[in-house]
Amino acid sequence: MSTHFAPDDRRNLTTRLSLLQGAIAVVFALLAIGFWVFQVAQHQKFREMAENNHTRRLPMPAPRGILFDRHGTVLVDNQYMYNITLDREQSRNIGETLRVLERATGVPEADLRETLNRRRGEPSYRPLVLIENATEAQVIAMLARRSDLPGVSFENLPTRKYPASDMAAHLFGYVSEVNEAQLSRPEYEGLEAGARVGQAGVEQAYNKLLMGTDGGRAVAVNSLGREIFEVDKDYPLEGRRLQLTIDADVQRATEEGFRHFKYNGAAVILDPRSGEILSLVSLPAYDPNEFALGIDPATWRSLTTDRLRPLQNRALQGRYSPGSTFKIAVAVAALEEGVITPERQVFCPGGANFYGRFFNCWLAGGHGSVNMRHALERSCNTYFYTIGNMLGVDRIHKWSSLLGLGEPSGIDLPNEVRGLVPSTEWKQRVMKEKWYPGETISVAIGQGQVSVTPLSMAVMMMTVANGGTRYTPHVLKAVDEGKGWTPVPAPPPQSVAHMKQSTVDALHEGLWMVVNAAGTGGRGKIVGYNVAGKTGTAQVVSNQGRAAAARAGVDVRDHGWFVFFAPHDKPEIAGVIFAEHAEHGYLGAPIAKYAMETYFAKKEGRPLPSLQTPAPPVIAATTATATPGQNR
């Protein structure tokens, strides 16, 4: 029997076939789009996921470059530490894993969970570090329970080792995890969360050279995530080795001097012929090893809340009144501007009147008639009041700037701040007021609005020592990229203001007399080496504010300065000792002496000296009626 379709049935069949064909076309289109998404658009993602089903890429961080001193002594090295990690994709029950890990290692589950939550945003296939700097006992205990800890493993990582604890901490800086703000900056492009970078000092300034290139191991794993065999390995490349200008023994001697006399403060010692830094000290300091191994919150809190500010690099970031050491800059300005000759006498009866006010000299009976050399030797305030008034503040500002005061030095270390030497333009711009001539009188002896950093004072002494060339202080001497040391060209000088020979002679002779004749710098004398120097005492607060500050628990004792160079006729070492609350500048001189003795003994091949405590000095200041802040 034949089957006949009515016209309506044929039309319905055609419609249904068309719909079926359309549906099939849509399905194939969706499949095509899906295949394109999986195989093209997200190829890399799914390739990594597929590979991670049977292989793992284990990172091998590169050791940072080693730091050496100018003579080849290792300053900063590397060591290896264990990290215990968790692969979340291999852990069936993370909560149970953390509980077992607590029993194995003794680390509280709450701490492990906090670490896990903090790092939860990182890719799931990347192992997370749960315990940094684990002990060998913790690693062994973890391995003993490996069957109960799926996804838990350990890595052996290079980390920084600072052999001498907090020696030169502010010079070297420290290393810690890169932060989010840094990851957004161009110089950290390509780094991932968890990478360790320099955060201060040389570690930060030369981070790119020191970091090296990470490697990695590709390993085959089974379904439990356990390693079966190694598929491939890229060895890490160690960072470049850096030779610093620092002399390790001079650095050690300088810090030993501060600790022996129980002072905090700063010191910068350099070569006045090049600007190479031999020693850079800031105390109190911190132990950079604590950062390298992962600083704990309690230690970080103690550092950031300490009233002594151990994280501040006083050498580059501390700003202080220079006191009488500023008289050197005023002397240079007066001689170079021709307002006075080295032989010009000024009579000091114990002070002088300027603009209706009497300004005391530190010595009540006065110094009598003194020329430039003797004014420096005896630190006569009246002499410098007089020549400061003759100069005016703008010419003092001009020559102070040429000597490096109130100007950035250009040092190759981060976060340097600039001091201040006032001028008429500065006061008008900042305070919207005119400069009054009477203000210059205080400026002339390093008080008033003048503030300087210890680094800038060292630069001033370098420039005076060499006759007017302000070299750029620097700490990098050479780089080794695997083919031996390549010297790094010294940066160009910041300024060159060749001083008249008569200026140089007068200054060098006067500063020599400070140490070797009747001046206050006798504690810095080294027989046969013609040390030149200048002491200075600077107020912490004004006379009016001393009582209130003392009641508030602020240490109001004066700061002490000692600036120096040697030998005075052919200088090869120069610098500054700044002793916080030492009360007298001459008390920093023995520290400078010990550092210089170490330098010369090492240069000449003699045994290094030991630190001696000098006898109390017998100086004319004992008869003075000094106003606080006006000591020599």
Side-chain angles (χ1 to χ4, degrees):
M1 184 177 70
S2 61
T3 301
H4 296 283
F5 293 96
D8 287 343
D9 293 336
R10 286 196 295 269
R11 282 195 296 272
N12 289 337
L13 181 60
T14 303
T15 301
R16 286 196 291 271
L17 288 172
S18 297
L19 290 173
L20 180 60
Q21 289 172 342
I24 292 172
V26 169
V27 170
F28 275 99
L30 291 174
L31 286 172
I33 292 171
F35 289 148
W36 182 86
V37 169
F38 292 140
Q39 298 187 24
V40 179
Q42 298 187 8
H43 169 77
Q44 187 62 32
K45 172 185 174 182
F46 287 102
R47 180 182 177 183
E48 289 180 1
M49 290 177 64
E51 289 179 348
N52 282 333
N53 284 329
H54 59 86
T55 64
R56 286 288 184 271
R57 179 74 177 176
L58 304 178
M60 297 174 65
R64 289 176 74 83
I66 299 172
L67 299 181
F68 298 84
D69 89 333
R70 64 191 299 113
H71 300 295
T73 300
V74 174
L75 297 172
V76 179
D77 205 344
N78 295 304
Q79 63 184 353
Y80 281 82
M81 72 173 186
Y82 297 111
N83 283 345
I84 294 178
T85 64
L86 171 66
D87 186 334
R88 289 165 290 174
E89 291 185 347
Q90 296 295 326
S91 180
R92 294 183 295 274
N93 185 332
I94 290 180
E96 179 60 23
T97 297
L98 297 182
R99 284 189 286 276
V100 174
L101 193 57
E102 176 186 26
R103 291 195 293 271
T105 64
V107 178
E109 180 188 347
D111 292 351
L112 296 172
R113 193 172 295 279
E114 180 187 353
T115 302
L116 181 65
N117 291 335
R118 191 171 64 247
R119 299 173 181 269
R120 193 175 291 279
E122 298 181 23
S124 60
Y125 58 82
R126 182 186 300 156
L128 298 184
V129 176
L130 288 182
I131 304 176
E132 285 189 319
N133 193 31
T135 64
E136 285 191 24
Q138 287 174 320
V139 173
I140 292 170
M142 180 273 294
L143 291 174
R145 294 168 175 79
R146 192 83 179 266
S147 59
D148 299 323
L149 292 169
V152 176
S153 187
F154 74 95
E155 54 187 7
N156 199 6
L157 298 178
T159 188
R160 262 327 203 199
K161 179 183 179 183
Y162 301 88
S165 184
D166 61 350
M167 174 178 147
H170 288 283
L171 169 67
F172 300 145
Y174 62 89
V175 173
S176 67
E177 280 192 18
V178 65
N179 57 51
E180 289 185 14
Q182 289 171 323
L183 286 173
S184 64
R185 283 155 43 185
E187 60 264 39
Y188 297 100
E189 185 178 356
L191 294 185
E192 296 181 344
R196 292 186 173 271
V197 299
Q199 300 287 9
V202 171
E203 296 279 23
Q204 179 182 346
Y206 293 105
N207 182 67
K208 214 164 188 180
L209 291 174
L210 290 167
M211 274 201 73
T213 304
D214 292 344
R217 295 172 60 235
V219 297
V221 297
N222 63 17
S223 60
L224 296 177
R226 293 177 182 167
E227 182 178 332
I228 303 172
F229 59 87
E230 186 173 276
V231 177
D232 190 22
K233 179 186 282 188
D234 294 324
Y235 288 97
L237 298 176
E238 184 177 348
R240 294 166 180 82
R241 305 194 310 164
L242 303 186
Q243 184 181 38
L244 304 185
T245 62
I246 299 299
D247 185 310
D249 289 308
V250 176
Q251 178 76 29
R252 174 197 52 76
T254 311
E255 294 197 22
E256 187 180 325
F258 273 91
R259 292 189 172 96
H260 179 82
F261 293 106
K262 297 181 173 58
Y263 297 141
N264 290 321
V268 180
I269 300 175
L270 40 68
D271 186 335
R273 301 164 295 185
S274 63
E276 291 186 352
I277 292 180
L278 304 174
S279 172
L280 190 148
V281 173
S282 177
L283 293 171
Y286 54 87
D287 185 353
N289 288 301
E290 293 179 333
F291 291 89
L293 300 177
I295 192 165
D296 62 88
T299 303
W300 174 250
R301 235 179 353 261
S302 70
L303 289 172
T304 55
T305 58
D306 192 328
R307 293 181 65 179
L308 293 177
R309 306 184 312 280
L311 292 175
Q312 183 194 38
N313 187 341
R314 285 160 163 76
L316 278 67
Q317 298 171 314
R319 286 183 285 207
Y320 312 93
S321 172
S324 290
T325 56
F326 189 71
K327 293 172 181 176
I328 297 170
V330 177
V332 171
L335 294 173
E336 289 298 297
E337 292 290 334
V339 303
I340 201 167
T341 66
E343 305 308 326
R344 167 76 180 273
Q345 300 275 332
V346 171
F347 181 71
C348 170
N353 280 295
F354 296 94
Y355 307 102
R357 176 186 165 191
F358 188 79
F359 289 81
N360 289 306
C361 187
W362 68 267
L363 185 61
H367 293 94
S369 292
V370 290
N371 61 17
M372 175 66 76
R373 295 172 180 82
H374 289 99
L376 285 169
E377 175 194 20
R378 301 171 189 174
S379 199
C380 176
N381 286 349
T382 304
Y383 182 94
F384 287 95
Y385 293 148
T386 302
I387 65 173
N389 187 52
M390 296 166 67
L391 277 164
V393 73
D394 286 332
R395 288 195 285 188
I396 294 175
H397 172 85
K398 168 189 168 183
W399 282 95
S400 297
S401 299
L402 288 171
L403 294 172
L405 301 180
E407 299 293 322
S409 72
I411 190 173
D412 52 342
L413 292 175
N415 304 319
E416 178 188 10
V417 303
R418 66 192 300 167
L420 170 66
V421 178
S423 65
T424 54
E425 183 276 332
W426 166 81
K427 190 176 182 188
Q428 184 60 48
R429 173 171 48 84
V430 174
M431 305 179 71
K432 312 300 182 192
E433 296 177 0
K434 64 175 287 187
W435 182 268
Y436 294 97
E439 296 176 273
T440 306
I441 308 304
S442 294
V443 168
I445 61 166
Q447 297 191 48
Q449 298 95 329
V450 184
S451 68
V452 297
T453 64
L455 174 61
S456 68
M457 292 298 285
V459 170
M460 178 190 77
M461 290 308 288
M462 166 182 66
T463 309
V464 168
N466 67 37
T469 302
R470 178 156 64 98
Y471 290 109
T472 302
H474 56 283
V475 299
L476 183 60
K477 189 174 182 67
V479 177
D480 181 8
E481 302 195 28
K483 300 178 181 178
W485 292 112
T486 301
V488 175
Q494 293 288 301
S495 67
V496 179
H498 294 299
M499 294 186 286
K500 294 179 288 191
Q501 191 59 47
S502 59
T503 299
V504 174
D505 291 343
L507 287 168
H508 286 211
E509 290 169 22
L511 296 175
W512 179 88
M513 293 163 68
V514 170
V515 176
N516 297 279
T520 54
R523 288 186 168 197
K525 181 178 180 179
I526 305 174
V527 176
Y529 290 94
N530 289 321
V531 176
K534 182 77 183 76
T535 64
T537 305
Q539 286 180 285
V540 175
V541 295
S542 66
N543 293 336
Q544 295 80 2
R546 292 174 77 88
R551 286 195 299 271
V554 176
D555 192 338
V556 297
R557 292 175 300 163
D558 293 339
H559 296 319
W561 294 90
F562 182 67
V563 294
F564 61 92
F565 59 84
H568 90 95
D569 51 345
K570 198 174 181 181
E572 55 185 274
I573 186 170
V576 58
I577 302 295
F578 170 73
E580 276 188 357
H581 307 300
E583 299 189 277
H584 302 289
Y586 63 78
L587 294 176
I591 303 174
K593 176 182 179 179
Y594 183 43
M596 287 187 285
E597 285 178 328
T598 301
Y599 169 83
F600 287 117
K602 191 169 183 179
K603 175 190 171 188
E604 296 161 10
R606 295 184 283 107
L608 299 183
S610 57
L611 182 59
Q612 303 295 323
T613 301
V618 179
I619 57 175
T622 55
T623 63
T625 56
T627 302
Q630 291 189 330
N631 301 320
R632 296 186 294 178

